[in-house]
Structure formats: C-alpha cells, structure tokens
Amino acid sequence: MFEKFMPNLRVDSVFDIDLEGLYAKGYRGIITDLDNTLVGAKAPLATPELIGWFEKVKKYGFKLVIVSNNNLDRVSVFANPLNIEFVHAARKPSGAAFHRAMEMMDLGPQETIVVGDQMMTDVFGGNRQGLYTVLVLPIAVQDEGMGTKINRRLERIVKRRLGKVGLWLEEDKKR
C-alpha cells in the first residue's frame, strides 16, 4: 500500500537531476511543483541559478509545465516572466492536473517526469498516473502553510512504514 508514496528517484534539489540520462531513457517532459521544489514558498521569482536550470532543461529538449496547488496569482507571478506554462489550483494528488500538463506538452505517462518536494501530493499523484517521480528536499520548510505541515507529518509516518519493510533508507538518496 505505501509503495505508491515511493519516488523513483530521490535527490537534494532539481540541480541534481541527471537530465541527460533521463532524456536518453526516453523522457521528454517535466511536470514540476513550484513551492519548496523550485524556490521557497515565499520567494516570488526564480533565482539566477534556477533560470540557468530552466535553460538547461530546454537545451536537452524537455518540455516543462509547473503544476502547483497554489493560486493563480502566486503561480502566474513566478511562471509568466519565464514563459513557462502552468496549472494552478491543481488539487494534487488528484490526477486531473497531471493529465492536463501532459496534454499541454503533448506527451504520455511513459515520457513524463514529475518533480516535487512532497510524497503526499507530488509523488503519490505522479505514481498513480504511472509517471517517473523525483522527490527533492524542500527548500524552505519554515515557510510552509498548515496543509503542507500536516502532509509532512503524514510523510514521516509513511517513511517509517516504508523503512520497516526496507524500502526507505536514508542512504539511498542520490547525491
């Protein structure tokens, strides 16, 4: 039951994702969360380092869509200056937003990666749709809202359960 919360890959940040390797495996699209995945939850704009990562994503030939549970104002202020398409008020882990993002990229599940900082929304939602899931460490936990704080508590329970059956080992995370 708890296996649906297991990401395919765990890394510290988006900068640690092997884009070249994933492209070679046939992946062509990235659905990424915004808050605490790309920037802290209170950071309105992309950092220069993140802008460079977006350029690298495009250079490798990936399409990219931001899928966020946050509101239109938050997501559009971030995404519009970068000309990045997005889905706001996504209601992850519901599958509708993931399907909409794949339609926007004209890609199927076997070609799509989901990147996020939450097991309960990003990983669980992506796994339910048959997508390749990447879990990153959250950028600014102190800035998270109440809903995310509740999810973090649930994540700890899931991690303990996965650990008991040998599926969640801290040393498994790729650096």
Side-chain angles (χ1 to χ4, degrees):
M1 173 185 164
F2 289 98
E3 289 81 8
K4 284 285 185 189
F5 295 99
M6 276 294 296
N8 296 102
L9 177 66
R10 295 163 48 201
V11 294
D12 287 343
S13 76
V14 295
F15 307 112
D16 300 314
I17 297 170
D18 179 10
L19 295 172
E20 185 176 7
L22 290 171
Y23 192 88
K25 291 179 181 177
Y27 296 102
R28 297 297 180 261
I30 298 173
I31 296 172
T32 183
D33 179 46
L34 173 56
D35 294 323
N36 277 335
T37 297
L38 298 176
V39 294
K42 292 185 179 178
L45 302 173
T47 64
E49 183 181 21
L50 185 60
I51 292 169
W53 185 77
F54 288 138
E55 290 170 2
K56 187 175 172 183
V57 165
K58 288 180 188 176
K59 182 186 111 191
Y60 279 113
F62 285 99
K63 297 175 184 179
L64 184 128
V65 175
I66 294 172
V67 173
S68 174
N69 284 349
N70 215 322
N71 62 51
L72 176 62
D73 288 342
R74 164 63 174 138
V75 184
S76 64
V77 164
F78 180 89
N80 286 342
L82 301 167
N83 293 314
I84 295 175
E85 290 187 289
F86 63 88
V87 177
H88 69 285
R91 306 185 131 197
K92 294 178 290 183
S94 171
F98 293 101
H99 286 283
R100 182 159 177 230
M102 285 187 285
E103 287 173 11
M104 293 165 79
M105 296 185 291
D106 194 29
L107 296 173
Q110 71 283 357
E111 304 167 287
T112 307
I113 299 161
V114 175
V115 180
D117 68 300
Q118 291 190 59
M119 293 172 77
M120 310 310 283
T121 56
D122 308 305
V123 174
F124 181 57
N127 283 345
R128 288 177 52 211
Q129 306 313 311
L131 309 175
Y132 185 90
T133 53
V134 179
L135 181 66
V136 300
L137 296 175
I139 294 171
V141 176
Q142 70 278 5
D143 294 339
E144 294 178 337
M146 186 53 68
T148 304
K149 288 179 182 181
I150 291 168
N151 281 345
R152 296 282 181 221
R153 287 184 180 147
L154 294 172
E155 281 182 6
R156 285 194 292 275
I157 294 167
V158 169
K159 287 176 184 177
R160 278 197 302 270
R161 289 284 175 98
L162 290 169
K164 285 181 181 180
V165 295
L167 293 175
W168 188 268
L169 304 172
E170 285 305 317
E171 59 272 11
D172 284 348
K173 185 170 56 73
K174 305 292 183 230
R175 298 213 176 245

